[in-house]
Amino acid sequence: MIRARAGLAVLAGTLLVGLSSCATPGTTPAPSGSAAATGQGTFVVAAAVDPLSLDPALVSDPDSLRITRQIFETLVTLPEGATAATPSPAASTTTQTGGAQADPNASAAAQVDDAVAPGLATSWKATRGGRTYTFTLRQGVKFQDGTAFGPSAVCVNVDRWLTLSGRAADTDVSAAYQEVFGGFIDQQGTRLAGCTVLGAQQVRIDLTTPMPGLLTQLARPQFGIQSPTAMATYGAYDTGADPRASAYATAHPTGTGPFRFAAWEPGVQVVLVRNADYWGAKASVERVLVKTINDPKARGDALTKGTIDAYDQITPLEAGSLTTDPKTNTRVTSRAQRDLTYLGIDRSAKAMQDTRVRQAIAMAIDPKALVVRTMPPGSQVADGLMPGRARPRAYSYDPTAAKRLLAEAGVSGLKVRIAYPSGVQQSYLPAPEDLYVAVADQLKAVGITAEPVAMSWPAYLQMLGTASDTANRPDLQLMGVAMDTPEHSSTLTRLLSGGAEEFGLASTWTGSTLDGIDGLPAGSGRDSALAAAEDRLLTDPVVVPLAVPADRLAVGRRVKELGVRPYADEVWTSVRLSG
């Protein structure tokens, strides 16, 4: 399963690096005369790796979503002050002004997550016990190719999600859809029933079961609304070897957002240009370059020299030297810590089938030492799977007990294969090679020999998302999750949605557990279901939590203003440059 992976309640508001706040998608459009006719300058951002694709429905990696957030918009958005939350037991109608009124036809189960703001929809209502959501859409919006936005365009997108097939239906490709809706039109257990056009401004999404948290999930960038014309013209529906490499996904991604796609030079950069016809507050900058600079030192040097303006995913190597520097006028700020780094165990692997061996591995891990050795300053030890929710560690660091369990299991000279992505940094895996070495050292101390399995980023994600070729799968893997919504339990639900493939869990258990959680509103019942699922993953154990890494953003001297939001939810309309 792909992890584009949380947010803590603290520091969850928008941080402004610079002068003042600016409008974000979902706000009322600025008066026509309030924005310059053309943008000013080029904003240059560095990324550690290329995006996998620019079709938001088919990606979950941060490097792809960073770009698709600029091109595409969702029906609803996260508000400025979004904090960690769970589906709220609010009334069944939510409007742009925040008002609510009870629906006499809705049961007590129709409880809507109200932690969202208007996006391409201006208001919404849940009925039929939370199995139907009706959206009133924003008028006067066009896609960047001139296609009109409206109810039919929304239904084209919803129908596409529901009918993905072939490679597009694999867990590592459409992970977000499968996590939220469970399955596709021809599969038992799908929670999405379909979409209906109700008129010139309204559309209805039908579900097979109540989903109190649907609105927050629809704010995720993977559910950005795409141009039906561009998708049909440029092969978005083709069922090739990898739909993420279609002409649409690599050369013609088309949405309603404040930036338009211009070019993609693989291994070099993605170029975006200001959407002069954008319905809302227009971007200040004329162009954005997202340059691929894999070497962390090279990124830091480029920032200091002024050849790039900003980058995130700051590694431990840079953390000591890359600080706010008055001489170069570089600045370092932080987002809310929203990520989870973990060691995964595949219980279907031959060497991992004895529970005592898995327990011994968990007890061999000293997370505090790993954080000090491999994570940026400010990172924290993770004891559970939902950052921000304290719980006792399932298996405390105890190498003596680990050795005893291995002896009881009759295991000596155990060799394990540990997979990790090579040549990549993510906010939840800031230094995967270093983390592998540190974990291997700790396992060696209890008599377990580790063999590295370094993989390219796309191959690694595909391996985690498929259960095939189990004989050659690694025993353990280093991975992480990052929340991209205020739903604090989303780290846990993402682990569950890929649990059958990644951890060797029974798909019947993961599916029924997710169905149960998704159908529950906030309260003791949902909390109990989450705690039970977390306990199962931790005590089995198939997941060993390691860290909640610090999430830092470096900004160069030309940047006067840059809105920094939790969940990496930045849209670059707020950028102001000097010179």
Side-chain angles (χ1 to χ4, degrees):
M1 169 173 118
I2 287 184
R3 315 285 196 210
R5 311 280 189 198
L8 304 180
V10 298
L11 297 178
T14 299
L15 298 173
L16 251 299
V17 179
L19 301 177
S20 61
S21 176
C22 299
T24 57
T27 57
T28 302
S32 59
S34 65
T38 60
Q40 304 297 317
T42 299
F43 179 50
V44 186
V45 181
V49 295
D50 268 5
L52 289 175
S53 177
L54 297 180
D55 183 336
L58 305 181
V59 294
S60 290
D61 64 294
D63 295 286
S64 298
L65 296 177
R66 174 192 290 111
I67 298 171
T68 64
R69 279 186 172 96
Q70 317 308 318
I71 302 171
F72 302 96
E73 297 178 296
T74 49
L75 291 175
V76 293
T77 66
L78 299 180
E80 288 288 340
T83 59
T86 55
S88 166
S92 62
T93 301
T94 307
T95 67
Q96 182 173 359
T97 58
Q101 66 183 49
D103 179 352
N105 298 316
S107 71
Q111 297 166 336
V112 176
D113 183 346
D114 56 3
V116 293
L120 291 175
T122 58
S123 63
W124 45 88
K125 179 173 68 174
T127 53
R128 294 181 61 242
R131 292 187 297 276
T132 293
Y133 284 74
T134 301
F135 296 88
T136 299
L137 304 182
R138 194 177 294 278
Q139 293 182 292
V141 177
K142 288 188 176 182
F143 291 98
Q144 295 143 2
D145 61 357
T147 301
F149 166 78
S152 61
V154 173
C155 281
V156 166
N157 279 263
V158 174
D159 290 345
R160 182 188 181 221
W161 303 337
L162 182 59
T163 58
L164 289 173
S165 61
R167 183 75 175 93
D170 286 350
T171 311
D172 66 304
V173 178
S174 52
Y177 171 85
Q178 295 185 58
E179 175 199 337
V180 174
F181 292 110
F184 301 101
I185 193 169
D186 58 347
Q187 295 176 338
Q188 185 177 2
T190 180
R191 294 184 280 274
L192 178 60
C195 181
T196 303
V197 174
L198 297 181
Q201 289 180 256
Q202 286 196 323
V203 65
R204 187 183 75 222
I205 294 178
D206 294 310
L207 307 171
T208 62
T209 186
M211 291 182 63
L214 176 65
L215 294 175
T216 295
Q217 296 296 342
L218 289 179
R220 293 171 64 173
Q222 291 92 334
F223 298 107
I225 303 301
Q226 309 188 54
S227 165
T229 302
M231 287 195 294
T233 302
Y234 298 109
Y237 296 96
D238 293 349
T239 56
D242 192 338
R244 295 170 297 184
S246 71
Y248 173 78
T250 58
H252 300 281
T254 308
T256 61
F259 290 95
R260 306 162 64 106
F261 173 84
W264 181 1
E265 301 173 68
V268 180
Q269 64 184 8
V270 174
V271 182
L272 305 177
V273 296
R274 179 178 186 262
N275 181 6
D277 298 320
Y278 181 55
W279 61 266
K282 296 176 177 61
S284 172
V285 297
E286 184 63 28
R287 289 199 312 162
V288 174
L289 305 182
V290 183
K291 290 185 170 291
T292 300
I293 305 177
N294 184 255
D295 179 34
K297 185 179 185 303
R299 289 198 299 272
D301 290 345
L303 187 79
T304 301
K305 293 175 182 177
T307 56
I308 66 171
D309 297 310
Y311 73 99
D312 56 10
Q313 299 175 4
I314 297 174
T315 69
L317 177 67
E318 304 159 88
S321 58
L322 187 62
T323 58
T324 297
D325 185 345
K327 294 181 180 179
T328 61
N329 199 23
T330 58
R331 291 153 287 167
V332 177
T333 187
S334 297
R335 297 189 186 97
Q337 290 172 262
R338 61 192 174 86
D339 300 344
L340 171 71
T341 306
Y342 65 86
L343 174 67
I345 304 175
D346 185 353
R347 71 195 309 272
S348 67
K350 184 177 180 180
M352 297 294 109
Q353 291 177 7
D354 191 313
T355 303
R356 294 168 296 185
V357 172
R358 300 195 300 274
Q359 292 171 335
I361 288 172
M363 290 182 177
I365 297 301
D366 181 356
K368 183 176 181 180
L370 293 179
V371 167
V372 171
R373 182 172 171 180
T374 70
M375 297 289 160
S379 301
Q380 302 171 357
V381 168
D383 289 325
L385 303 179
M386 293 181 283
R389 277 201 166 188
R391 60 156 292 145
R393 193 167 187 85
Y395 297 100
S396 298
Y397 173 56
D398 190 341
T400 301
K403 292 177 182 178
R404 184 174 62 250
L405 281 169
L406 291 172
E408 290 176 3
V411 173
S412 63
L414 177 63
K415 295 182 180 180
V416 297
R417 302 171 72 236
I418 305 180
Y420 60 90
S422 178
V424 64
Q425 302 93 40
Q426 299 293 351
S427 56
Y428 46 77
L429 277 179
E433 291 89 351
D434 294 344
L435 183 58
Y436 163 76
V437 172
V439 168
D441 286 347
Q442 292 185 357
L443 293 177
K444 183 178 180 180
V446 301
I448 299 173
T449 301
E451 175 189 340
V453 182
M455 305 177 70
S456 70
W457 184 229
Y460 189 66
L461 296 175
Q462 184 173 0
M463 181 275 294
L464 293 179
T466 56
S468 60
D469 196 21
T470 55
N472 292 318
R473 284 176 63 90
D475 305 294
L476 312 174
Q477 59 271 348
L478 294 168
M479 195 47 185
V481 289
M483 270 191 6
D484 48 24
T485 76
E487 171 57 76
H488 65 78
S489 64
S490 67
T491 48
L492 176 61
T493 57
R494 288 178 205 183
L495 292 171
L496 286 168
S497 66
E501 297 85 1
E502 187 172 348
F503 310 122
L505 295 168
S507 59
T508 51
W509 177 77
T510 57
S512 62
T513 301
L514 276 171
D515 286 344
I517 291 172
D518 287 340
L520 291 170
S524 58
R526 181 181 174 87
D527 290 343
S528 296
L530 289 168
E534 184 181 35
D535 285 342
R536 169 76 180 271
L537 296 179
L538 291 175
T539 59
D540 185 271
V542 293
V543 184
V544 181
L546 303 178
V548 180
D551 188 3
R552 296 184 174 185
L553 176 72
V555 182
R557 60 177 176 264
R558 290 200 316 141
V559 180
K560 295 169 59 179
E561 187 174 310
L562 169 64
V564 180
R565 287 170 58 89
Y567 323 113
D569 191 38
E570 294 98 14
V571 177
W572 295 323
T573 51
S574 66
V575 173
R576 301 289 185 273
L577 302 176
S578 62

